Amino acid sequence: MEPPRHANRPWATTAVRGHLRRWTTYYTTRILWSAEPVEPPDPPSPARVLDSLELLATQDLIAGGVRPHTLAAALTQLDAVERLRREAGFVADAPDDLPKIATAVARRVYAEVRDAIDAEPAMPWAVNLAGQLAARGLAAPDRLAHHRPVIQARTFQRHLAQQLNARAGDLLPRLAAVLREAELDAVTDLRRRAARSVEVRDELDLLGAISRTRRTIGWSRAQLYALASDQVTSR
């Protein structure tokens, strides 16, 4: 029997932590395609499960076009991976040879989150992001040939300060606008580099830095996009 799903906000990081725990237990106590109990395999490494989950979310973000539900699923999962890694002190590993059971757990978790998001109306921030990506011509992979320098995660705070100093207006809307633009640029660069078969670790690290900054301030992504939209409409 499969473990029960979360009823409330099943895409939140706390819920993802529960999904990971339940599906790990499930796969290590019963082989999914067997009708009888079997000898449990070794539990998958939580770090490698998060690597697999990041890979699935990244693939979805690259291949999902500008569908708001797909963008919401991919980015919320990347947020959760970054936060859970940070809490546990895990370091991202190359996705070349991930254990099968870690991949199986990650697929179940990702499907659970994606299904929950698909069942709800599109999140306004994801609709906003989809519109901006479409305006950049990112709906089709053959439009992704151009590339520009990437903001490094280690210098993101300096970039943030420079951008804030260069803008006028109230601080919070300015900050929200810079964070939103940085996230848009990171997704743009990730998809362009992936189209050229280039490693996208820098872009994932930048998305993580943006997520950490937003958490430090105490903003959800919905609040970030609402404030950033206020900044745009007030210009």
Side-chain angles (χ1 to χ4, degrees):
M1 183 176 179
E2 294 185 357
R5 297 185 174 219
H6 279 273
N8 298 319
R9 289 179 54 80
W11 51 83
T13 299
T14 52
V16 171
R17 187 186 292 109
H19 296 323
L20 289 165
R21 183 171 54 250
R22 289 195 315 281
W23 282 114
T24 296
T25 300
Y26 181 63
Y27 271 88
T28 54
T29 56
R30 179 178 290 269
I31 299 298
L32 203 64
W33 49 87
S34 173
E36 300 296 330
V38 296
E39 186 69 24
D42 293 333
S45 161
R48 300 294 75 83
V49 173
L50 290 177
D51 288 340
S52 297
L53 189 57
E54 180 183 71
L55 178 61
L56 291 172
T58 304
Q59 291 171 338
D60 228 10
L61 190 59
I62 292 167
V66 292
R67 182 175 178 268
H69 286 85
T70 302
L71 293 171
L75 286 173
T76 54
Q77 286 303 272
L78 289 175
D79 281 353
V81 168
E82 192 281 330
R83 183 172 179 178
L84 293 172
R85 272 183 182 150
R86 200 164 189 83
E87 289 176 357
F90 296 146
V91 176
D93 199 6
D96 301 330
D97 189 26
L98 293 171
K100 289 183 179 180
I101 192 166
T103 300
V105 172
R107 282 177 178 161
R108 286 290 188 142
V109 173
Y110 193 74
E112 205 160 41
V113 171
R114 186 187 57 221
D115 290 350
I117 288 175
D118 280 347
E120 299 288 336
M123 298 177 184
W125 68 261
V127 174
N128 187 309
L129 177 60
Q132 294 179 82
L133 289 172
R136 291 188 172 192
L138 299 186
D142 60 0
R143 300 288 297 278
L144 305 181
H146 175 69
H147 179 61
R148 58 182 183 74
V150 181
I151 303 168
Q152 297 293 317
R154 65 179 179 272
T155 61
F156 177 65
Q157 296 300 326
R158 186 191 310 161
H159 167 81
L160 198 62
Q162 290 171 343
Q163 290 296 309
L164 288 176
N165 289 335
R167 301 177 187 225
D170 293 339
L171 176 62
L172 290 183
R174 278 190 289 141
L175 178 57
V178 174
L179 289 172
R180 187 182 72 168
E181 289 165 12
E183 183 167 79
L184 174 62
D185 287 343
V187 174
T188 300
D189 290 333
L190 184 148
R191 296 174 72 167
R192 284 176 170 159
R193 287 171 69 84
R196 298 165 55 219
S197 299
V198 177
E199 169 63 43
V200 296
R201 185 72 256 163
D202 285 345
E203 289 77 9
L204 291 171
D205 289 344
L206 176 56
L207 286 171
I210 296 166
S211 178
R212 289 193 300 275
T213 302
R214 183 165 46 77
R215 285 202 312 273
T216 299
I217 299 168
W219 285 341
S220 68
R221 192 179 267 103
Q223 291 170 319
L224 169 68
Y225 273 70
L227 277 167
S229 296
D230 290 344
Q231 172 74 359
V232 171
T233 55
S234 65
R235 288 178 182 173

